Amino acid sequence: MSGVLDPGLQAGASEGRTRRSERFRGGTLGPAGTAAAVVVAVAVVAAVWPSLLGGGDPLAVHPTDALTPPGAAHPFGTDESGRDVLARVVAGTRASLLVGVAATLVGGLSGVLLGTLAGLGGRLVDAVVGRVTEVAFALPLLLVALVVIAVTGPGPVPATLAVGFATAPGYARIVRGLVRSARSSQVVETAVLQGRSPGRILFRHVLPAALWPVVAVATLGVGQAVVWASALSYLGVGTPPPAPEWGAMLADGRTYLLTAPWMSTFPGLAIVVLATAVTVLGRAVRRTGAAR
């Protein structure tokens, strides 16, 4: 009994551990992705059923409890009108998450349309779409969103459209490259030789090759959309007060940063935690999809 394993057995065990490790990293979400999924699930519960997590009415005003520090009665404290900050943070999840998801859908669908036109169209169409996306990329996203809002007016729906249209060029550039690559693939060339219709080739061979990468990128875009939607509300052109929305709550707390910092601290943490969780989950989904 020398206590030394046979080299073949050692190699086999090492290979097995490597395969299990690859499956763990590539085939599942992993620890960080799982934790992010839990956070996103809690956010969804808060958006669908806020009373389960937040308790009272987020719009209820109690002047006698104004600017109460965090405690047993109000874990996140109260604002200048005596409204419970915890209830408002939980209720604000719906607005922030809804705008983030809707804006990502607007941006993704617009990007798929533009990218497909550029990838399948002639040189003129490709050049026009390319110049438009280049100009959009040259401008800050927030500036593009503010231009859209200047045309449509403030509000949650214009803010959603503004963030969506501002993020569309990124998706368009990705889809254009994927469509052009799929267009020149052997599968598409074979379908053309077999006499398949252009519509069938588009929906069976070209678009499916571009959709999964866009979905993976869109999961990352939700976190970004949440941040930008909150920024627009912070500037006063998003969800109007007194509706609970994290960006608007940050703006309301500016005046009380020294006397009641909890008014801005907890909405700010909510934005950071949700945006980070969605981004981490999106990267995990992207890795999982790439591994498969």
Side-chain angles (χ1 to χ4, degrees), residues 99-109 160 163-164 167 171 217-219 221-223 225-226:
V99 171
V101 173
T104 302
L105 288 175
V106 171
L109 293 176
T160 300
V163 175
T167 56
Y171 296 109
V217 173
T219 55
V222 173
V226 168

Side-chain angles (χ1 to χ4, degrees), residues 17-70:
R17 286 194 298 269
T18 302
R19 290 179 179 177
R20 287 194 297 270
S21 177
E22 290 177 353
R23 287 198 300 269
F24 178 74
R25 292 194 304 266
T28 66
L29 296 179
T34 302
V38 172
V39 173
V40 173
V42 172
V44 171
V45 171
V48 176
W49 196 358
S51 61
L52 185 65
L53 300 177
D57 183 1
L59 300 178
V61 176
H62 303 283
T64 56
D65 295 332
L67 302 180
T68 300

Side-chain angles (χ1 to χ4, degrees), residues 11 52 82 89 182 210 255 257:
L52 185 65
V89 168
T255 309
L257 282 177

Side-chain angles (χ1 to χ4, degrees), residues 194-210:
Q194 291 176 347
R196 304 288 174 83
S197 64
R200 186 174 182 180
I201 294 175
L202 173 64
F203 288 101
R204 290 201 61 179
H205 302 292
V206 177
L207 286 183

Side-chain angles (χ1 to χ4, degrees), residues 36-256:
V38 172
V39 173
V40 173
V42 172
V44 171
V45 171
V48 176
W49 196 358
S51 61
L52 185 65
L53 300 177
D57 183 1
L59 300 178
V61 176
H62 303 283
T64 56
D65 295 332
L67 302 180
T68 300
H74 304 283
F76 286 6
T78 62
D79 62 10
E80 76 281 6
S81 299
R83 294 173 297 198
D84 187 77
V85 175
L86 173 60
R88 291 180 62 77
V89 168
V90 173
T93 308
R94 177 180 300 174
S96 297
L97 194 59
L98 182 61
V99 171
V101 173
T104 302
L105 288 175
V106 171
L109 293 176
S110 301
V112 168
L113 178 60
L114 290 174
T116 302
L117 289 175
L120 297 179
R123 292 184 178 180
L124 179 60
V125 176
D126 189 18
V128 171
V129 175
R131 298 298 83 76
V132 171
T133 55
E134 287 177 2
V135 171
F137 270 118
L139 299 174
L141 187 147
L142 184 59
L143 179 59
V144 177
L146 290 175
V147 170
V148 175
I149 287 180
V151 176
T152 60
V157 175
T160 300
L161 296 177
V163 175
F165 290 144
T167 56
Y171 296 109
R173 177 171 289 187
I174 295 172
V175 173
R176 174 190 175 276
L178 292 171
V179 167
R180 294 182 73 87
S181 177
R183 183 182 179 182
S184 60
S185 65
Q186 186 175 0
V187 175
V188 172
E189 291 178 355
T190 303
V192 172
L193 292 176
Q194 291 176 347
R196 304 288 174 83
S197 64
R200 186 174 182 180
I201 294 175
L202 173 64
F203 288 101
R204 290 201 61 179
H205 302 292
V206 177
L207 286 183
L211 285 182
W212 172 250
V214 172
V215 170
V217 173
T219 55
L220 298 173
V222 173
Q224 181 187 30
V226 168
V227 173
W228 288 116
S230 299
L232 293 176
S233 295
Y234 180 85
L235 296 175
V237 294
T239 303
E245 201 279 335
W246 294 340
M249 293 174 66
L250 277 175
D252 292 339
R254 288 177 299 179
T255 309
Y256 305 93

